[in-house]
Amino acid sequence: MSKLAIRLKELREENELSARALAKELNLSDRAIQRWEKEERIPNADNIILLAKYFNVSADYLLGLED
């Protein structure tokens, strides 16, 4: 499993958010969140930035480039 999928799911669960709740917060579809976590799709750069800002982490952290 990719670092991005793992870290996205961990951050979502740590914040006690369902995929649907996170999607609503970010104005995305819940299916998009689910696909990213299951590695069916890869978020584009804009969505990676959106996730990083929302969770207050770096894009490098989400992508597994730093701990």
Side-chain angles (χ1 to χ4, degrees):
M1 190 171 242
S2 74
K3 285 284 189 179
L4 184 131
I6 293 166
R7 289 188 173 170
L8 174 56
K9 187 171 183 177
E10 286 174 351
L11 287 166
R12 184 178 58 73
E13 290 176 346
E14 285 171 8
N15 287 274
E16 299 180 1
L17 293 167
S18 65
R20 181 175 297 241
L22 177 59
K24 186 174 181 180
E25 287 287 321
L26 300 178
N27 199 28
L28 299 168
S29 73
D30 54 325
R31 188 72 183 126
I33 304 295
Q34 294 166 353
R35 286 179 175 159
W36 297 340
E37 289 184 1
K38 293 179 181 178
E39 296 183 282
E40 294 173 0
R41 297 268 168 96
I42 299 171
N44 64 28
D46 289 338
N47 286 326
I48 291 171
I49 292 167
L50 185 67
L51 290 165
K53 286 182 177 181
Y54 181 82
F55 288 115
N56 197 30
V57 298
S58 70
D60 283 351
Y61 174 79
L62 278 175
L63 295 169
L65 299 173
E66 66 179 36
D67 290 330

